[in-house]
Amino acid sequence: MLQITISDLQTIMRECAGEAEDALPLEEAPDRPFEELGYDSLALLETYSRIERDYGIELCEDELGAINTAQALVDLTNSLLQLKVMSAA
């Protein structure tokens, strides 16, 4: 089954947030808010778009409003990927 990991998310965010090269690694603090780690809202928007494109899912704005940590984004993405697989079966 296709899943995203914290490491995968770190790679995507580094590619989407070139200016945040000094941001703390997500693996070190997956439950800390993105802003505390050094990622701004533009980097997050680009990350959301990239996840939607790369994984073929749609991230709902209402759900994203409550997402502020790497672990929460990974959990949401993986639940949407699981729903996608289940609906295709």
Side-chain angles (χ1 to χ4, degrees):
M1 177 199 287
L2 182 62
Q3 288 191 320
I4 187 172
T5 64
I6 295 288
S7 181
D8 297 331
L9 181 58
Q10 179 70 63
T11 300
I12 293 168
M13 291 192 79
R14 289 274 183 202
E15 292 171 2
C16 291
E19 75 282 352
E21 291 176 2
D22 59 338
L24 294 174
L26 299 177
E27 293 95 342
E28 290 181 15
D31 294 320
R32 285 184 55 194
F34 288 118
E35 294 79 24
E36 287 182 19
L37 299 176
Y39 296 98
D40 63 18
S41 58
L42 180 58
L44 291 174
L45 287 174
E46 290 180 26
T47 298
Y48 299 152
S49 293
R50 171 89 178 267
I51 289 171
E52 288 179 325
R53 184 182 72 239
D54 290 358
Y55 290 89
I57 58 173
E58 184 175 335
L59 299 170
C60 176
E61 286 185 41
D62 292 338
E63 292 170 326
L64 289 175
I67 301 296
N68 69 342
T69 68
Q71 189 61 58
L73 182 54
V74 164
D75 292 345
L76 172 63
T77 301
N78 286 334
S79 68
L80 292 171
L81 287 169
Q82 185 176 11
L83 287 173
K84 180 180 174 182
V85 168
M86 290 171 51
S87 68

